[in-house]
Amino acid sequence: MAKSKEILRGAEIFCRALKDEGVKHLFGYPGGAVLHIYDELFKQDAVEHILVRHEQGAVHAADGYARATGMPGVVLVTSGPGATNTVTGIATAFMDSIPMVVFTGQVATHMIGNDAFQEVDAIGITRPCVKHNFLVKDVKELAATIKHAFYVATTGRPGPVVVDIPKDVTADSCEYEYPTSVDMRSYKPVVKGHPGQIKRAAELILSAKKPMIYSGGGVILSNASEELTDFTRELGYPITNTLMGLGAYPATDKQFVGMLGMHGTYEANMAMHHCDVLIAIGARFDDRVTGDLDQFCPYAKIIQIDIDPSSIAKNVPVDIPIVGDVKHVLTDLTALIKASKNKPDTEAIKLWWDQIKEWQSIDCLKFDRTTEVIKPQYVIEKFYELTNGDAYVTSDVGQHQMWAAQFYKFDKPRHWINSGGLGTMGFGLPAAMGVKLAFPDDVVACITGEASLVMCIQELSTCLQYGLPVKVINLNNRYMGMVRQWQEFFYAGRYSHSYMEAIPDFVKLAESFGHTGMRIEKTADVDGALKDALAMKDKLVMMDFITDQTENVYPMIASGKGQHEMHLPPTTDRELA
Amino acid sequence: MRHILSLLLENEAGALSRVSGLFSARAFNIESLTVAPTEDPTVSRMTLVTSGSDEIVEQITKQLNKLVDVIKVVDLSESRHIERELLLIKLTAKNDHREEIKRLVDIFRGHIIDVTDSSYTIEMTGSGDKLDAFIDALDKKLILEVVRSGVSGIARGDKAI
């Protein structure tokens, strides 16, 4: 006998649906259009609500949570400014394909289009930066729409989904039943790769004399680190990771040649340029990776594995495209390679490694270790040593981000959390907050700069309220460092608005939010300060490192140049070949 | 090269703006776009005329397929197909011009569907080229108003998308 279904109000359906979806944490900020929902949140304890101090913080926190856990981040905000404040965070998640569901309140259905108080066309505004969005016009559609939203956000190439819920929908009632499955005729992501293509790829891979594996964020999104490691070790080929892909392959492994791209290592970029077979795995040939497209990998046959057909051959023509989930494709590909009669050409591969070792010997990440003034690279290197490479590291955007990517050696996926595609300053602190919530027992650090940090500084308050003791490593050079670097290189040193006259006292600032602050001004004090901060397990510690103002990020491929045309640091004592 | 793409998409509010927004956001060309529900009221059929290199049209097709509301995309120009466009045109028709316009409309197999003592309104269907030819054959001074529907297309033969 069929059990009679419960009749619930929209706001109750919302909370029940989140519970039935397995949502544990919800980042949000209340307001008029979502008050019915907040009233229901008050009455339940299945979902913990984290009250942020600005809606942008909510989205970045949910984003950090999603990147670290692999679970979708969930956000609830009100209509109008609540919705518009989420846009930067949604676009950030969209560019990096992060699964997220953002619920925005909306004015009542009969008011839509009337320029009502706190009304904004949230669906229209977010359309270009979401994977999909939904307006719920009837309470009867609410539960199913929430199910669809989570399904779309987390399957295929993941991404943010917005659900706009008018206030009257949260007040109306209907029978509640949370769907157990979803079938959408217009949305069927491919999972398995085409066997014929995989076979062709295996043959090409085994015939390579100068192979290169180039893997990106797709490997992390697909939870395929193990498969990637298996594949790479089986072949013995060199591997580079994109900024988004760091941690997918252990950075301390001997086959890893470092990050590639604009601030990647000399050896990674040179190996890209000279390789004869390029195996691109869950990477999208971003302009910061490829440099000048006309000079990109001129000698290579290219294999590209990606779940999103539109990513394949978008910027660079591809010889063997494989559409599918990286995890499945790599499993099939490795099995085929292991079973094949052909083996890698060990002699050619040895010569290739000899060449790569020659490039590595240039030591492209070298920096001056003799100065009293603190070098930012040194801080990150020390922090890496003291945390044994186990910390979760979030970052903002700029020089500090590149140094963190270069000097913190990520051996595990989902530990490096940064806004790679959109390049969103202000991401780091709220993202760290989201990560710490998910992993309270792990070290979570936000490596940032003084310009990025203040963009979402209000979240220090949220960290206090919920007991989220992240470590803030502020590499304070009193400049927008990356802007300053470009102005030094390309604008004849005209430092137009890249310097702030009035910078807060970050120690007092941390203290005013109820946290601990430290200022570190000498290289000799770095180690001790980091140890002290790490020892204060239950405290958010703001470490204000006063660093060298003019330090630049090297190596560097200037915009529009080829991967083999790198600038090396002035500390390098060898001319380029 | 010119391509005619035929799309099936969910007949939902906002589906059209997802498609048109995609074209503007990615700087793809769009020559014409028509859309209306099909025999299944939950599905709309869209015909979209665009142009670009093979790589660009491949990217357009992939991006359209990626839209969650899009059920199917077919490039009609890859095989034999029929395209038709509707033209409604209002002309000044006085004295001697009335007979002359009538003859021209007959030659182009159009219909005069509204008449006043000083004007004709004409309905004509055909390929875009044919409608262009008809307009070119007219005395420009007589044209009061031109309305074109944009291209609708369907594949030849017994296969349906």
Side-chain angles (χ1 to χ4, degrees):
Chain A
M1 206 173 74
K3 205 172 77 179
S4 69
K5 293 171 195 158
E6 292 170 88
I7 306 284
L8 299 179
R9 289 204 314 155
E12 294 171 90
I13 290 175
F14 176 87
C15 295
R16 283 284 293 276
L18 291 197
K19 181 185 168 204
D20 290 349
E21 188 60 42
V23 174
K24 297 274 179 289
H25 297 103
L26 172 64
F27 300 87
Y29 203 101
V34 286
L35 282 178
H36 295 324
I37 294 177
Y38 271 87
D39 194 45
E40 286 305 322
L41 284 172
F42 188 82
K43 300 175 194 164
Q44 57 84 53
D45 55 10
V47 182
E48 187 188 0
H49 179 271
I50 307 298
L51 174 68
V52 295
R53 297 301 182 267
H54 186 296
E55 289 89 349
Q56 184 180 351
V59 191
H60 291 329
D63 186 328
Y65 182 92
R67 289 179 203 237
T69 62
M71 309 276 288
V74 190
V75 175
L76 172 64
V77 298
T78 193
S79 62
T84 56
N85 278 343
T86 63
V87 171
T88 300
I90 293 170
T92 304
F94 182 62
M95 284 291 270
D96 292 341
S97 308
I98 304 305
M100 182 186 286
V101 179
V102 178
F103 296 96
T104 53
Q106 183 54 277
V107 300
T109 44
H110 69 276
M111 305 281 280
I112 290 177
N114 283 353
D115 300 324
F117 176 66
Q118 291 195 329
E119 180 186 357
V120 79
D121 175 12
I123 293 296
I125 286 176
T126 58
R127 187 178 299 122
C129 59
V130 291
K131 183 169 174 187
H132 197 56
N133 57 20
F134 299 92
L135 170 64
V136 184
K137 282 190 268 183
D138 188 323
V139 69
K140 293 191 199 74
E141 298 164 8
L142 182 58
T145 305
I146 292 173
K147 182 74 192 176
H148 278 79
F150 279 96
Y151 176 69
V152 171
T154 54
T155 52
R157 179 178 181 174
V161 173
V162 166
V163 183
D164 201 29
I165 309 177
K167 190 168 186 181
D168 54 331
V169 170
T170 64
D172 293 345
S173 302
C174 73
E175 285 185 342
Y176 172 73
E177 184 178 26
Y178 198 62
T180 48
S181 65
V182 175
D183 182 35
M184 296 168 80
R185 61 182 168 188
S186 62
Y187 176 73
K188 309 241 179 245
V190 176
V191 175
K192 293 287 274 184
H194 188 280
Q197 293 293 85
I198 294 175
K199 190 158 171 281
R200 284 179 62 211
E203 284 163 11
L204 181 60
I205 288 167
L206 289 171
S207 75
K209 307 240 180 280
K210 297 176 176 181
M212 186 67 180
I213 301 168
Y214 148 54
S215 85
V219 177
I220 291 170
L221 294 167
S222 162
N223 295 314
S225 294
E226 219 175 282
E227 288 77 5
L228 176 70
T229 308
D230 237 27
F231 169 78
T232 306
R233 292 206 173 128
E234 172 66 23
L235 290 164
Y237 293 174
I239 177 168
T240 180
N241 285 168
T242 67
L243 178 69
M244 292 307 300
L246 292 175
Y249 189 85
T252 52
D253 188 89
K254 61 182 190 322
Q255 280 170 255
F256 185 67
V257 298
M259 181 174 76
L260 84 168
M262 184 173 269
H263 294 295
T265 64
Y266 181 64
E267 48 272 29
N269 286 321
M270 290 300 276
M272 287 290 288
H273 185 78
H274 290 279
C275 72
D276 68 347
V277 173
L278 180 68
I279 308 149
I281 307 170
R284 63 186 178 88
F285 296 82
D286 177 80
D287 56 276
R288 288 297 195 262
V289 158
T290 61
D292 180 14
L293 282 174
D294 292 336
Q295 301 189 65
F296 179 74
C297 292
Y299 316 110
K301 288 238 184 279
I302 300 178
I303 299 163
Q304 187 181 359
I305 306 168
D306 204 292
I307 198 161
D308 176 4
S310 76
S311 263
I312 292 181
K314 184 174 67 181
N315 301 331
V316 171
V318 169
D319 299 282
I320 304 181
I322 304 174
V323 177
D325 187 323
V326 161
K327 194 180 181 81
H328 286 88
V329 175
L330 279 180
T331 305
D332 294 349
L333 191 54
T334 310
L336 212 56
I337 286 168
K338 282 183 180 167
S340 172
K341 286 196 296 284
N342 300 336
K343 294 290 156 211
D345 182 342
T346 42
E347 208 165 309
I349 303 300
K350 188 189 169 297
L351 287 174
W352 179 226
W353 270 113
D354 288 347
Q355 171 64 75
I356 291 170
K357 279 172 192 150
E358 166 76 21
W359 289 324
Q360 282 173 325
S361 70
I362 282 176
D363 194 7
C364 67
L365 296 177
K366 200 168 171 183
F367 64 93
D368 187 354
R369 290 161 190 281
T370 60
T371 57
E372 190 183 336
V373 57
I374 299 170
K375 291 286 182 184
Q377 300 96 317
Y378 178 72
V379 178
I380 295 164
E381 205 176 68
K382 270 284 149 208
F383 181 66
Y384 167 72
E385 284 169 26
L386 292 171
T387 52
N388 300 314
D390 288 332
Y392 286 88
V393 177
T394 73
S395 89
D396 278 295
V397 171
Q399 288 185 317
H400 67 267
Q401 177 191 26
M402 293 298 112
W403 284 317
Q406 291 173 336
F407 289 89
Y408 201 98
K409 299 186 188 72
F410 295 95
D411 279 343
K412 288 177 276 189
R414 300 193 177 280
H415 279 59
W416 165 237
I417 286 151
N418 83 127
S419 166
L422 195 68
T424 307
M425 291 170 70
F427 174 83
L429 178 61
M433 199 165 87
V435 178
K436 189 70 185 170
L437 189 74
F439 298 104
D441 300 329
D442 289 87
V443 176
V444 179
C446 168
I447 296 180
T448 183
E450 81 289 347
S452 287
L453 178 58
V454 294
M455 281 206 183
C456 273
I457 195 74
Q458 74 286 344
E459 299 308 328
L460 284 177
S461 187
T462 312
C463 289
L464 185 74
Q465 181 170 344
Y466 296 94
L468 301 171
V470 305
K471 308 297 176 213
V472 180
I473 298 179
N474 184 28
L475 301 174
N476 184 349
N477 63 356
R478 286 85 69 212
Y479 270 114
M480 291 160 216
M482 191 58 91
V483 174
R484 195 209 63 79
Q485 176 168 342
W486 281 53
Q487 288 171 336
E488 179 188 329
F489 289 178
F490 310 120
Y491 297 90
R494 292 183 297 277
Y495 298 121
S496 179
H497 300 270
S498 54
Y499 181 83
M500 282 183 258
E501 294 286 339
I503 288 172
D505 178 332
F506 285 98
V507 174
K508 283 189 187 157
L509 186 143
E511 286 167 1
S512 78
F513 276 98
H515 302 301
T516 304
M518 298 178 173
R519 179 168 301 111
I520 307 96
E521 297 179 86
K522 287 194 197 115
T523 302
D525 299 335
V526 169
D527 188 56
L530 284 168
K531 280 181 183 151
D532 289 350
L534 287 167
M536 285 185 261
K537 290 206 184 317
D538 300 330
K539 281 290 211 181
L540 185 151
V541 185
M542 164 85 72
M543 288 165 275
D544 188 25
F545 291 96
I546 308 300
T547 61
D548 187 343
Q549 282 199 284
T550 57
E551 187 65 23
N552 289 322
V553 181
Y554 290 105
M556 178 173 185
I557 305 172
S559 205
K561 295 283 186 185
Q563 287 187 318
H564 58 307
E565 300 172 304
M566 301 204 83
H567 292 288
L568 290 178
T571 43
T572 309
D573 40 19
R574 252 196 287 178
E575 286 301 311
L576 292 190
Chain B
M1 208 187 115
R2 181 171 176 271
H3 287 254
I4 305 171
L5 304 179
S6 216
L7 280 73
L8 293 179
L9 61 162
E10 297 289 346
N11 183 12
E12 303 247 354
L16 172 61
S17 59
R18 288 182 209 283
V19 174
S20 60
L22 169 69
F23 275 73
S24 60
R26 294 194 180 265
F28 297 145
N29 292 316
I30 193 161
E31 269 177 35
S32 79
L33 186 162
T34 66
V35 60
T38 61
E39 78 285 4
D40 174 352
T42 66
V43 177
S44 291
R45 169 87 174 234
M46 179 183 284
T47 309
L48 201 152
V49 181
T50 183
S51 59
S53 64
D54 289 352
E55 293 77 30
I56 289 174
V57 174
E58 183 187 330
Q59 218 5 255
I60 290 174
T61 309
K62 286 172 168 178
Q63 292 289 349
L64 285 169
N65 268 312
K66 199 163 126 179
L67 292 176
V68 170
D69 278 341
V70 170
I71 301 165
K72 196 161 189 187
V73 182
V74 173
D75 188 344
L76 289 179
S77 23
E78 281 180 347
S79 55
R80 297 193 316 125
H81 65 280
I82 301 160
E83 54 177 286
R84 287 290 181 272
E85 188 173 356
L86 170 68
L87 166 73
L88 296 174
I89 183 166
K90 192 175 283 183
L91 302 172
T92 303
K94 290 180 188 162
N95 309 325
D96 295 350
H97 288 308
R98 290 177 86 85
E99 254 321 291
E100 192 191 322
I101 293 169
K102 172 90 174 64
R103 274 198 301 275
L104 202 58
V105 170
D106 288 343
I107 292 169
F108 278 89
R109 289 187 295 282
H111 304 285
I112 298 173
I113 53 173
D114 189 45
V115 177
T116 71
D117 57 358
S118 61
S119 73
Y120 283 158
T121 300
I122 296 148
E123 167 199 345
M124 190 177 290
T125 58
S127 68
D129 283 353
K130 172 186 159 181
L131 303 182
D132 290 345
F134 174 68
I135 292 169
D136 284 346
L138 291 167
D139 181 349
K140 295 290 162 296
K141 292 195 290 291
L142 301 179
I143 298 173
L144 295 171
E145 200 175 341
V146 174
V147 185
R148 296 176 70 151
S149 64
V151 172
S152 286
I154 197 163
R156 284 192 182 273
D158 55 5
K159 284 213 181 89
I161 79 166

